[in-house]
């Protein structure tokens, strides 16, 4: 079954959504421009993305790509990532999120130790772009397409077919001689600090939040907080906070019957006029029009 993705996260900015079930830890999502942007987040699962129509900007780790129709990306487990539209163009994204154990089995199996562990334990490997013009990447995109289609139709034994396609995908990826980056302790520490600060924003976005509070959540100075945000997700803490509030408000407008003024207040906007102006700037319409 295919659904639209949401992005509720816990206090460490780890996504809360269960992708699939314990018995079959895989979920497929079909998103259009209305479902974007997806804010920065992370999860224990591997994520596979293919753009079925239009274009999208996908960010993971310190990489950003404009991905066109037919192409996609592999996002490693535990990597911070985000998705947004290209100039508000129409688009359609197919996404598969699966836990590595679906392919790797138990941690003492040869499948886990030889194929899964080297990929998910490599902190320098946040993911890779997948393009049709490159043969091995085209092969991976074909596996993504087939796995998505069999899950969409739920044909007989689709679970076995999907797992087989993902196993073949991992086999192709494991053969590639990726240039490993040397990740410093400082960079690793910065990544953990970002998770702590994004966590704080997610937990307190409905309140009055200052840069000092965001920095304190990771036990760092305000200047170090600013540097971490600029280097990791290329924005300021306050800009991220505002955008997160607007994204959450848009979700409430779509999925609840709460009055607009109540939504504004719950999302940390103390003045209705400021909320309306900010919302219109991002979504090109008033909150009430967006709901309709």
């Amino acid at each position: 079954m295919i659904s639209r993705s949401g992005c509720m996260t816990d206090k460490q900015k780890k996504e809360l959504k269960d992708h699939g079930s314990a018995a079959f830890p895989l979920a497929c999502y079909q998103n259009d421009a209305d479902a974007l942007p997806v804010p920065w987040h992370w999860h224990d699962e591997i994520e596979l993305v293919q753009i079925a129509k239009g274009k999208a900007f996908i960010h993971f780790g310190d990489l950003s790509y404009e991905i066109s129709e037919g192409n996609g990306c592999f996002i490693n487990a535990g990597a911070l990532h985000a998705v947004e539209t290209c100039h508000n163009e129409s688009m359609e994204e197919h996404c598969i999120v699966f836990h590595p154990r679906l392919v790797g089995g138990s941690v003492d199996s040869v499948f886990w130790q030889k194929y899964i562990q080297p990929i998910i334990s490599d902190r320098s490997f946040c993911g890779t772009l997948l393009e049709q013009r490159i043969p091995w990447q085209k092969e991976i995109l074909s596996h993504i397409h087939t796995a998505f289609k069999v899950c969409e139709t739920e044909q007989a034994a689709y679970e076995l077919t999907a797992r087989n396609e993902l196993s073949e995908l991992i086999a192709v990826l494991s053969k590639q001689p990726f240039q490993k980056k040397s990740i410093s302790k400082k960079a690793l520490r910065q990544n953990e600090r970002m998770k702590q600060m994004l966590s704080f924003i997610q937990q307190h976005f409905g309140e009055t939040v200052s840069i000092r509070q965001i920095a304190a959540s990771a036990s760092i100075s305000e200047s170090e907080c600013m540097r971490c945000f600029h280097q990791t997700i290329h924005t300021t803490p306050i800009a991220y906070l505002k955008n997160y509030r607007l994204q959450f408000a848009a979700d409430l407008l779509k999925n609840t019957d709460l009055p607009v003024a109540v939504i504004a207040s719950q999302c940390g906007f103390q003045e209705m006029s400021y909320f309306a102006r900010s919302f219109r700037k991002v979504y090109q319409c008033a909150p009430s029009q967006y709901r309709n």
Side-chain angles (χ1 to χ4, degrees):
M1 183 176 69
I2 309 300
S3 61
R4 285 165 62 98
S5 64
C7 190
M8 296 301 293
T9 56
D10 70 6
K11 64 181 183 178
Q12 289 184 311
K13 202 56 184 172
K14 179 181 177 182
E15 191 172 14
L16 288 172
K17 175 179 294 212
D18 290 328
H19 300 287
S21 63
F24 187 58
L26 177 151
C28 294
Y29 304 101
Q30 180 172 300
N31 298 317
D32 57 21
D34 289 340
L36 303 182
V38 176
W40 286 91
H41 66 288
W42 65 282
H43 41 67
D44 291 328
E45 293 83 2
I46 289 169
E47 184 164 338
L48 309 169
V49 174
Q50 187 168 27
I51 303 302
K53 175 184 175 183
K55 299 178 182 179
F57 280 116
I58 299 184
H59 315 278
F60 50 91
D62 58 354
L63 305 173
S64 295
Y65 296 110
E66 179 181 301
I67 301 182
S68 58
E69 186 171 321
N71 297 324
C73 66
F74 174 100
I75 301 173
N76 205 1
L80 279 168
H81 57 283
V83 187
E84 59 183 327
T85 58
C86 290
H87 315 297
N88 296 312
E89 296 178 7
S90 63
M91 59 81 66
E92 183 178 310
E93 172 199 47
H94 293 172
C95 180
I96 300 175
V97 183
F98 70 98
H99 197 282
R101 72 172 180 273
L102 178 66
V103 173
S106 64
V107 295
D108 57 351
S109 73
V110 65
F111 309 108
W112 185 276
Q113 294 180 6
K114 187 174 180 179
Y115 300 102
I116 294 296
Q117 186 65 22
I119 293 174
I120 66 174
S121 65
D122 185 356
R123 296 189 183 184
S124 69
F125 181 55
C126 293
T128 182
L129 179 67
L130 302 171
E131 296 184 294
Q132 293 281 353
R133 63 184 180 84
I134 300 175
W136 70 267
Q137 295 180 6
K138 182 177 181 180
E139 186 176 354
I140 287 181
L141 288 165
S142 177
H143 289 308
I144 294 173
H145 177 78
T146 302
F148 187 90
K149 285 301 179 183
V150 298
C151 289
E152 182 179 34
T153 57
E154 294 190 356
Q155 63 186 46
Y158 76 91
E159 298 96 338
L160 288 173
T161 303
R163 185 178 66 170
N164 182 63
E165 292 295 328
L166 297 178
S167 296
E168 293 286 352
L169 182 156
I170 292 295
V172 174
L173 188 67
S174 67
K175 296 175 185 176
Q176 306 313 312
F178 290 107
Q179 180 94 32
K180 291 187 178 292
K181 296 180 181 178
S182 177
I183 304 297
S184 66
K185 290 183 178 179
K186 182 178 180 180
L188 292 174
R189 184 170 62 249
Q190 177 172 295
N191 190 59
E192 291 306 309
R193 286 172 171 173
M194 279 303 305
K195 288 183 177 180
Q196 291 172 340
M197 290 188 287
L198 293 180
S199 150
F200 178 83
I201 289 174
Q202 193 275 333
Q203 290 293 304
H204 300 281
F205 72 95
E207 308 165 14
T208 300
V209 177
S210 66
I211 294 179
R212 175 179 293 182
Q213 291 172 313
I214 296 171
S217 70
S219 302
I220 58 177
S221 67
E222 292 181 45
S223 59
E224 179 67 9
C225 167
M226 295 288 288
R227 189 189 67 79
C228 285
F229 268 81
H230 276 297
Q231 291 192 354
T232 307
I233 62 174
H234 316 298
T235 189
T236 67
I238 297 304
Y240 178 87
L241 170 63
K242 182 179 178 181
N243 285 332
Y244 188 89
R245 285 169 166 167
L246 290 171
Q247 290 161 4
F248 203 91
D251 188 64
L252 290 177
L253 286 166
K254 285 190 292 185
N255 299 305
T256 75
D257 294 323
L258 290 172
V260 175
V262 172
I263 289 175
S265 178
Q266 288 188 358
C267 293
F269 292 95
Q270 298 179 351
E271 296 181 8
M272 185 61 197
S273 59
Y274 177 65
F275 169 65
R277 288 197 308 273
S278 299
F279 193 93
R280 183 182 291 275
K281 186 173 182 180
V282 173
Y283 294 96
Q284 285 78 54
C285 64
S288 57
Q289 293 173 315
Y290 183 84
R291 166 172 277 170
N292 293 334

